[in-house]
Amino acid sequence: MSVHEISAETAAAPTPEQPQAPAGPRPGPIRRRRERHPVAFVVLVVASVLITLPFVELLINALTPSSDIGADRWLPSAFRWANFTDALHYIPYLSLARNSLVLSSLFGVLTTFSSALTGYGFARLHGPGKKILFGVLVMTMMVPPIVTLIPTYLLFSLYNLVGTYWPWVFWGAAGTPYTIFLYRQFFSSLPKELEEAAILDGAGRIRIFCQIFLPLSRPLLVTAFVLAFNAVWGDFIGPDLFLNSSNTTLAVGISSGYDNTAGYPVYNLLAAGALLYIVPVVVLFLFAQRSYVRGFASSGLK
Amino acid sequence: MSALSLGASRTRPAPAPRRGARARRIRAALAFYGFISPWLVGTILLTAFPVGYAVYISFTDWNGMTSFMPWVGLDNYRQVLTSSDTLSALSKTLVLAAIIVPVSILGSLALAVLLNKRMHGRTVMRTLIYLPAVVPPVAAALIWKVIFDKNSGAANRILALLHLNAVSWLTGQMAFVAMIIVLVWAIGSGIIINLAALQTVPAEQLEAAKMDGAGPLTTFRHVTLPAISPILLFQTVLVTITTLQTFIPAILLSPISDSSVVTNIQPANDVYMVDVYEQYFDYSRYGLGSAMIVVFFVVILALTALIFKFLGRSVFYAVDPTEGRS
């Protein structure tokens, strides 16, 4: 094993040691070698391949010319890249995508901030009824969305808000129970001294929150935003119920938009459209992955 | 984080004058309620009120249009609990959860344990295995719909390679199998939380176990598993709740899509949520639909309680999560 690998692993170990220290002879030796796990490796490679194959098949379908649909072959006679532009025109793809983007970002920003506020309140502040309210929060995590969706629809239609993006503003501002829970866990784990010093300096709660706690929770902010963005980007029932064909999202648009007049899906365009629909969330995830993983780790989910 | 706590002063705040204590408590309570007010107001308006409204509607025979809501008492509940359609939808949903929850929880735990070992390509494999969890449910259903197509899908081409007969995946009883495959595809959705949890297992304890001559399985059972059990419990509850609400694969896997929500669902995929939608949007039976929702909520609560009762016993809390880890 190379020196480089040894020192890299030492850095990750909880107790700092000299990088040159030979592995082994200390009392309570911690293995520092890159161990070989042939069985684990093979299992993981097989799992990765199996899980990835549907994506490959989707790409192949997206590139299949119409004349090859239904043909008994693994690869099409030619790759037809124009399927992607066709998919963009078969349904009003770009305006649907814009709606998805606006709605997901709007909800993502609002709920990330609002959940942080509430999580901070539950973690660091005290008031009568706090225990009960926290119980209510945990309870609401178990309420299936369908329970509230239809009565909420009736409520919003009473104020003529059905067909607008306002419901997402309200949902966003109300925070997401699961995200609030993550924030609460994270903020609880920070030392008391953090705000004691600031209070002595005369800082108000809002300033303490904005200047000390919010910046510290950056990985969790990323996690919360990605979770919220993906939830709305992928949500089908919400826009299907609350929006109309002029302002609905991609999730609704692609679910039945690629059917021919007989009601059967046009497979190559459907695949191309679905692929284009997946790309933004996958790219967002890949970009945010490090923070996203750290966000979960830092909240010490328990 | 440690740098910040070093910077903070070690002294306690000076004791405040007595008469200020009450005012301070009130101010503190105001701050608490101020911070949680967006959530509190939102929960009252968007959760508590709708739940109450749904319960009220469930006692009526409302069709969703008239302003008059005829009160029918417990009729809807009687119908929900005696209708063979509803009960078969419920049992189908429970069977689905009974398959998906153990497979998903144990599968993602196993994958996380393997990914926790140091090896080449670990990051890439972690990303690939997690990826289906990022894919929106609509897209996941459509991907598999293409694969399961009877004539041109990859699933039947694989069967042909193995000299097996083609299967009509999206119709009849196989539709249920197809739905299970779609849901199992996202088996990796728990690995990120699991990996984070595995990192928190105290290294000294793992070392001590090894010094005592414990094998990897014994160590896993007596050191790792207790340490991560709260997270596994939490995940079990979440996955159970989500699986019970399965809806999108059921409607989008249907070979013909139709603008009216549920007319073309395969009977095998007629899970509870589909039934609820049928009552609301195909038959405009808001009262019955609401009663179904209330019953479903009670089922979910009961299942959650059962999970806590049977699995919660074996959950091991090493430290109070609000205290620092020793």
Side-chain angles (χ1 to χ4, degrees):
Chain A
M1 293 293 128
S2 72
V3 178
H4 174 74
E5 275 170 343
I6 292 170
S7 60
E9 291 184 17
T10 312
T15 45
E17 286 176 47
Q18 279 138 350
Q20 295 90 344
R26 296 178 135 264
I30 298 168
R31 292 231 188 148
R32 301 214 180 290
R33 289 175 296 116
R34 186 183 286 263
E35 295 178 49
R36 297 199 178 278
H37 302 281
V39 178
F41 185 74
V42 169
V43 170
L44 285 174
V45 167
V46 170
S48 307
V49 169
L50 282 179
I51 286 171
T52 314
L53 275 178
F55 290 112
V56 178
E57 178 61 16
L58 183 71
L59 179 65
I60 292 174
N61 270 286
L63 294 172
T64 301
S66 302
S67 53
D68 279 1
I69 293 182
D72 183 22
R73 57 195 304 166
W74 289 96
L75 287 172
S77 51
F79 290 132
R80 187 170 184 278
W81 294 92
N83 279 347
F84 286 105
T85 45
D86 286 357
L88 293 180
H89 293 113
Y90 202 87
I91 58 174
Y93 201 99
L94 293 180
S95 81
L96 289 166
R98 194 197 55 218
N99 297 342
S100 282
L101 184 69
V102 169
L103 213 55
S104 308
S105 314
L106 182 73
F107 177 80
V109 169
L110 283 171
T111 203
T112 300
F113 188 70
S114 169
S115 303
L117 274 178
T118 308
Y120 176 81
F122 277 118
R124 313 296 289 203
L125 302 173
H126 304 282
K130 178 171 146 175
K131 273 212 169 120
I132 296 168
L133 288 174
F134 190 68
V136 170
L137 176 80
V138 175
M139 271 276 286
T140 55
M141 279 169 38
M142 292 173 213
V143 180
I146 178 73
V147 174
T148 55
L149 205 62
I150 286 151
T152 312
Y153 176 85
L154 302 172
L155 177 72
F156 280 131
S157 66
L158 214 60
Y159 293 94
N160 288 323
L161 295 177
V162 170
T164 72
Y165 290 172
W166 280 105
W168 279 266
V169 173
F170 291 115
W171 284 325
T176 309
Y178 180 62
T179 311
I180 293 171
F181 189 74
L182 289 181
Y183 273 112
R184 186 255 186 190
Q185 298 303 96
F186 173 75
F187 287 139
S188 303
S189 71
L190 299 177
K192 268 201 182 74
E193 287 83 2
L194 264 185
E195 63 227 302
E196 283 178 355
I199 289 172
L200 279 183
D201 290 345
R205 282 292 174 185
I206 294 171
R207 233 184 80 195
I208 294 176
F209 172 73
C210 291
Q211 293 186 351
I212 301 175
F213 283 83
L214 210 52
L216 280 176
S217 70
R218 214 164 62 193
L220 202 49
L221 285 174
V222 173
T223 309
F225 181 79
V226 172
L227 281 175
F229 188 95
N230 285 3
V232 175
W233 187 269
D235 183 24
F236 172 83
I237 297 170
D240 191 46
L241 209 57
F242 283 77
L243 299 177
N244 46 53
S245 55
S246 70
N247 62 1
T248 196
T249 62
L250 263 183
V252 175
I254 67 164
S255 65
S256 59
Y258 290 105
D259 292 344
N260 60 23
T261 43
Y264 285 95
V266 183
Y267 276 125
N268 53 352
L269 297 192
L270 173 69
L275 198 63
L276 291 174
Y277 170 60
I278 295 172
V279 165
V281 279
V282 168
V283 169
L284 176 67
F285 170 70
L286 291 180
F287 264 105
Q289 193 177 13
R290 280 185 67 147
S291 300
Y292 184 77
V293 173
R294 266 203 300 153
F296 272 119
S298 65
S299 69
L301 201 69
K302 286 216 167 182
Chain B
M1 254 180 273
S2 57
L4 272 156
S5 49
L6 280 178
S9 126
R10 284 247 142 245
T11 54
R12 302 259 154 247
R18 243 167 204 291
R19 61 198 159 85
R22 207 179 121 84
R24 255 214 342 257
R25 256 209 332 272
I26 292 173
R27 268 225 312 277
L30 280 179
F32 169 69
Y33 278 96
F35 268 89
I36 69 161
S37 60
W39 166 79
L40 191 56
V41 174
T43 300
I44 291 168
L45 284 181
L46 302 174
T47 305
F49 169 75
V51 168
Y53 198 39
V55 171
Y56 175 75
I57 295 174
S58 72
F59 292 111
T60 72
D61 197 12
W62 194 39
N63 64 7
M65 281 178 276
T66 54
S67 55
F68 175 60
M69 297 181 172
W71 184 266
V72 295
L74 289 170
D75 272 8
N76 289 326
Y77 288 93
R78 204 166 295 135
Q79 200 172 334
V80 170
L81 297 175
T82 52
S83 150
S84 60
D85 279 359
T86 308
L87 292 180
S88 95
L90 184 61
S91 66
K92 218 171 288 169
T93 311
L94 292 174
V95 169
L96 185 71
I99 296 169
I100 296 297
V101 174
V103 169
S104 168
I105 297 295
L106 297 178
S108 71
L109 175 63
L111 288 170
V113 168
L114 296 182
L115 281 168
N116 201 33
K117 299 182 191 302
R118 303 187 172 278
M119 62 176 77
H120 289 288
R122 186 162 72 136
T123 319
V124 175
M125 292 192 288
R126 185 191 67 191
T127 305
L128 289 177
I129 290 171
Y130 187 72
L131 218 48
V134 186
V135 171
V138 168
L142 293 179
I143 290 175
W144 286 97
K145 186 170 167 168
V146 174
I147 291 172
F148 283 136
D149 184 79
K150 190 172 190 288
N151 302 313
S152 63
N156 276 347
R157 265 181 280 138
I158 291 172
L159 290 185
L161 276 186
L162 304 171
H163 300 288
L164 294 170
N165 287 332
V167 168
S168 179
W169 291 95
L170 299 178
T171 55
Q173 286 302 314
M174 284 312 284
F176 192 68
V177 178
M179 187 163 68
I180 288 173
I181 293 176
V182 174
L183 294 174
V184 168
W185 185 43
I187 196 170
S189 58
I191 59 169
I192 288 195
I193 289 184
N194 283 337
L195 277 170
L198 287 172
Q199 299 293 325
T200 65
V201 179
E204 318 90 68
Q205 288 184 19
L206 292 174
E207 262 321 297
K210 198 174 276 177
M211 296 285 281
D212 292 347
L217 276 180
T218 320
T219 311
F220 180 76
R221 171 133 169 43
H222 293 284
V223 180
T224 311
L225 210 51
I228 64 170
S229 54
I231 288 146
L232 288 178
L233 177 68
F234 181 75
Q235 267 181 278
T236 307
V237 171
L238 270 190
V239 174
T240 305
I241 295 175
T242 339
T243 310
L244 289 176
Q245 293 180 65
T246 302
F247 176 66
I248 287 173
I251 60 163
L252 289 189
L253 279 179
S254 136
I256 302 181
S257 40
D258 195 283
S259 50
S260 82
V261 189
V262 279
T263 39
N264 287 303
I265 304 287
Q266 293 301 308
N269 282 358
D270 194 0
V271 285
Y272 200 85
M273 240 355 82
V274 170
D275 215 1
V276 170
Y277 266 73
E278 267 170 348
Q279 297 306 332
Y280 271 107
F281 299 113
D282 281 4
Y283 307 124
S284 293
R285 298 198 58 184
Y286 280 54
L288 186 64
S290 299
M292 288 184 69
I293 285 178
V294 173
V295 168
F296 198 44
F297 187 41
V298 172
V299 169
I300 288 181
L301 280 185
L303 272 180
T304 310
L306 275 180
I307 293 172
F308 271 108
K309 189 167 185 292
F310 284 104
L311 293 183
R313 209 186 296 152
S314 44
V315 165
F316 172 80
Y317 290 98
V319 285
D320 180 355
T322 52
E323 300 290 321
R325 200 167 277 118
S326 53

